[in-house]
Amino acid sequence: MRNIRELPELLISQIAAGEVVERPASVLKELLENSLDAGATQIQVALDQGGAQRVQVDDDGAGIVREDLGLAFARHATSKIGSLEDLEGVATMGFRGEALASIAAVARVELVSRARNAAHAWSLAAEGGAPREPRPAARAPGTTVAVQDLYFNTPARRKFLRTEATEFGHCDEVFRRVALARPDLAFSLKHNGRVSAHLAPQPAEARAAALLGAEFAAASVPVDARAGPLRLHGLAGTPQAARNRADAQYFYVNGRFVRDRLLAHAVREAYRDTLHGERQPAFVLFLELDPRGVDVNVHPAKTEVRFRDARGIHQFVFHALKRALAPSAAESPVSYATVASQGSAIQAALAMQEPVMDYRAAPAPLPVSAKAPPLGYALAQLHGVYVLAQNEAGLVLVDMHAAHERILMEKMKAGLDAGAIERQRLLVPAVFRAEALEVATAEDNREALEQLGLELTVAGPNELAVRAAPALLAGGDVAALARSLLAELREFGAAQVLAARQNELLATMACHAAVRANRQLSVTEMNALLREMEQTERSGSCNHGRPTWYQLTLADLDKLFLRGR
Ligand SMILES: Nc1ncnc2c1ncn2[C@@H]1O[C@H](COP(=O)(O)OP(=O)(O)OP(=O)(O)O)[C@@H](O)[C@H]1O
Ligand SMILES: [Mg+2]
């Protein structure tokens, strides 16, 4: 063992740089954020060899006055905060006074800056952490920072850099994150001298379309919700537009791109009923709140945050997104008065597993004179699977099982909101091994569990027993259900789990209770199904995210038959 001694300044910076400067993309992120903080309106990025050779950012922001130039490279020197109070309410991207110092410790940096009312610019170079004397230079107001030869003096780290294409890919992603957040600013990106993006200031939707593709913009719904000081806005991809990879998920907190477990969970929950399996939603969402309500000083790259009122934020994001994603099949309000009563009667009949129906008891056919409802009137049933209906636009095709499943789910959900899930006592309690923490969670959350239809008792220090389970699930693997509920209760607390797991239970129940394929339906039953769909939230897709109905317009059909009209 050696004696304890103080490290030289450069080594300290290099160690610190390890946290901040992971790869060229991290340099780009820091430079872009500095330009944003400087109030730039035009930002130009130039990269060479994936950024390993050069990362350069030009802006037209406030610039740095000559006296401050040297300090820009000093560690813990910042113009952005001055006190703990400032830190707690930080509204800028930067606040540590760490980025340029770290970058200068592991690369050759040149800074050219001209403050708005300075006579000319000043340039300052730093290499391996040591800045030289500032020299007069020429440029318009604003700042250019050029970072060359990343890790030139730390060869071990340089070896960790990946191929040019990979490093450029990371830089491109950083660029996209910043450009998505600031559609009001102009950006350009060059790689090895070739322009790879050029963005003029534009509305948020247009920026999203430019960066994520027109398909994303076309298959997404606007989100804009407020609750007191909280606001969530942006674009949420529809369930039908979900992808196999989570490669288009952008969540920002006060303009800062974050990867946050709490927010990710809230989003996942909002999509839960409508997404199939592992499908990943696409979204660009901005959460705005009082900066004092969020701590950004938790992660070296500032990509994680901590909320003061985590539960409240979760609830807000979850509900705001869910509401935005839940339009019903009916575009415009239609009078259902004439069909409502028979609708519910037929619905009750449909919900039964009984295949036999008394058609004579069915009410009279629908009035033809009334304005046709959005999904139209039923014509026939196809192969016991699809309902065919005629509406104003043309032909409507409905997957009857999927549609019915969705309707049942939404109905049960509404019923549940009013009370608790119906329970059934198990003849033989299902005993399972549990950890001490699970046992404690079960005891602490007895009430919430009961509302969810589960009654758990402690059977031993490491054993829990399920004594009652949701009536419709009593035959299933109730121990597994109890386990995952306990895990979620522990992590997110009773209130949220109550809302979230409910939906999953309901989806399973609905699937069993929904009308099966190959059941003959009368025209009246089919019409009732259509009317229920129109009145049901989220009826456009089933509980697994597949569409429940499809419109073929007359124009579509004409095209099919090569018929000009
Ligand atoms: N593009 C720029 N325009 C104007 N001033 C800049 C620019 N880049 C850096 N600065 C000045 O240099 C200082 C140091 O920048 P640096 O990125 O190292 O720290 P910071 O942004 O204050 O904090 P952080 O380490 O969290 O990024 C900033 O506080 C700012 O005053
Ligand atoms: Mg900074």
Side-chain angles (χ1 to χ4, degrees):
M1 260 300 243
R2 297 186 194 167
N3 294 335
I4 300 177
R5 57 193 140 160
E6 291 194 39
L7 296 174
E9 195 57 36
L10 175 62
L11 187 54
I12 294 174
S13 298
Q14 286 172 335
I15 291 169
E19 299 236 296
V20 179
V21 191
E22 196 193 332
R23 58 186 347 146
S26 4
V27 172
L28 179 59
K29 172 178 184 286
E30 295 298 337
L31 300 189
L32 284 172
E33 292 189 349
N34 282 346
S35 296
L36 296 181
D37 284 345
T41 63
Q42 301 206 19
I43 299 176
Q44 282 138 22
V45 179
L47 306 169
D48 287 327
Q49 293 176 21
Q53 183 57 45
R54 181 173 66 124
V55 178
Q56 178 173 322
V57 173
D58 265 272
D59 68 48
D60 62 348
I64 308 172
V65 295
R66 189 206 176 289
E67 305 80 73
D68 285 356
L69 269 186
L71 278 179
F73 289 123
R75 295 189 62 214
H76 314 305
T78 178
S79 58
K80 298 170 191 176
I81 60 167
S83 66
L84 179 63
E85 207 172 84
D86 290 348
L87 175 62
E88 286 175 348
V90 70
T92 46
M93 295 289 163
F95 52 82
R96 304 159 305 183
E98 180 79 55
L100 286 182
S102 291
I103 295 168
V106 292
R108 299 189 171 96
V109 184
E110 193 187 6
L111 193 157
V112 182
S113 189
R114 178 170 166 190
R116 289 233 165 92
N117 39 25
H120 58 81
W122 289 92
S123 118
L124 180 66
E127 192 176 307
R132 310 220 179 89
E133 262 303 292
R135 287 189 305 191
R139 68 152 287 154
T143 303
T144 300
V145 181
V147 176
Q148 309 210 38
D149 300 326
L150 184 61
Y151 300 136
F152 78 98
N153 56 354
T154 47
R157 294 215 61 152
R158 199 169 169 96
K159 284 206 203 92
F160 280 99
L161 291 181
R162 305 273 163 222
T163 63
E164 176 172 338
T166 302
E167 295 302 340
F168 174 70
H170 286 283
C171 290
D172 192 40
E173 181 61 21
V174 161
F175 176 84
R176 186 172 311 135
R177 285 175 192 170
V178 172
L180 272 173
R182 295 300 302 269
D184 55 323
L185 309 183
F187 289 91
S188 70
L189 173 63
K190 271 190 195 167
H191 186 214
N192 294 337
R194 290 198 17 227
V195 175
S196 98
H198 192 88
L199 301 160
Q202 56 198 154
E205 293 74 33
R207 180 61 60 89
L211 291 166
L212 301 179
E215 317 89 72
F216 167 72
S220 57
V221 293
V223 181
D224 197 355
R226 281 169 205 270
L230 299 177
R231 179 175 179 218
L232 184 74
H233 61 104
L235 290 172
T238 59
Q240 289 77 15
R243 313 178 175 215
N244 287 329
R245 296 196 311 144
D247 57 353
Q249 305 190 336
Y250 297 87
F251 206 108
Y252 299 82
V253 174
N254 288 345
R256 193 188 297 282
F257 176 89
V258 296
R259 290 199 179 288
D260 180 77
R261 287 194 62 208
L262 179 94
L263 296 172
H265 185 267
V267 170
R268 213 168 46 240
E269 290 303 318
Y271 275 98
R272 183 197 275 278
D273 309 346
T274 50
L275 269 194
H276 187 48
E278 296 299 295
R279 301 281 287 165
Q280 295 287 348
F283 53 82
V284 181
L285 294 170
F286 301 94
L287 175 66
E288 319 276 359
L289 73 161
D290 182 340
R292 278 166 305 190
V294 51
D295 185 0
V296 290
N297 189 22
V298 247
H299 186 260
K302 304 169 189 152
T303 45
E304 281 166 30
V305 289
R306 211 168 280 148
F307 295 104
R308 204 148 286 177
D309 175 18
R311 200 70 59 77
I313 298 283
H314 187 284
Q315 289 289 325
F316 170 68
V317 170
F318 167 71
H319 287 294
L321 192 52
K322 190 154 175 132
R323 228 172 301 129
L325 288 169
S328 76
E331 297 279 62
S332 52
V334 180
S335 163
Y336 299 106
T338 48
V339 293
S341 56
Q342 68 196 37
S344 45
I346 299 302
Q347 188 54 42
L350 272 175
M352 293 186 329
Q353 297 283 8
E354 272 306 303
V356 192
M357 301 200 96
D358 184 357
Y359 295 139
R360 285 159 306 169
L366 296 160
V368 213
S369 59
K371 183 182 181 301
L375 293 178
Y377 296 124
L379 299 170
Q381 193 181 11
L382 186 69
H383 282 273
V385 177
Y386 297 104
V387 170
L388 308 187
Q390 168 178 330
N391 68 355
E392 266 164 19
L395 178 68
V396 172
L397 286 159
V398 176
D399 177 334
M400 69 184 205
H401 174 72
H404 192 223
E405 194 179 302
R406 165 57 77 192
I407 290 168
L408 284 179
M409 162 135 181
E410 294 295 333
K411 284 199 150 174
M412 287 200 260
K413 202 186 289 177
L416 259 175
D417 286 346
I421 257 186
E422 197 194 332
R423 269 187 288 164
Q424 184 179 315
R425 296 203 69 76
L426 302 183
L427 287 177
V428 184
V431 179
F432 64 98
R433 279 196 64 76
E435 285 168 23
L437 198 53
E438 287 179 309
V439 174
T441 309
E443 291 192 305
D444 291 348
N445 295 282
R446 187 179 305 276
E447 239 171 76
L449 284 164
E450 285 183 6
Q451 261 176 288
L452 287 166
L454 274 181
E455 191 186 321
L456 292 183
T457 53
V458 180
N462 283 311
E463 270 180 348
L464 284 171
V466 185
R467 304 203 164 263
L472 278 157
L473 278 184
D477 188 349
V478 291
L481 175 75
R483 269 232 179 75
S484 53
L485 277 174
L486 288 175
E488 291 216 12
L489 280 169
R490 198 166 65 207
E491 192 160 0
F492 296 102
Q496 178 48 31
V497 169
L498 225 51
R501 290 301 289 192
Q502 262 185 9
N503 292 350
E504 202 165 75
L505 297 178
L506 291 179
T508 315
M509 295 187 230
C511 187
H512 288 292
V515 59
R516 295 277 131 199
N518 290 322
R519 248 225 20 240
Q520 287 305 313
L521 298 186
S522 70
V523 167
T524 320
E525 287 174 309
M526 291 189 270
N527 277 326
L529 183 66
L530 295 172
R531 301 295 80 80
E532 293 276 1
M533 284 173 70
E534 285 159 353
Q535 287 170 307
T536 302
E537 279 195 317
R538 289 179 284 274
S539 64
S541 49
C542 80
N543 298 341
H544 311 291
R546 296 185 295 269
T548 54
W549 64 280
Y550 192 78
Q551 171 89 61
L552 269 174
T553 64
L554 285 177
D556 292 336
L557 293 170
D558 288 343
K559 226 180 275 162
L560 209 58
F561 292 99
L562 308 172
R563 187 171 177 209
R565 290 225 291 177

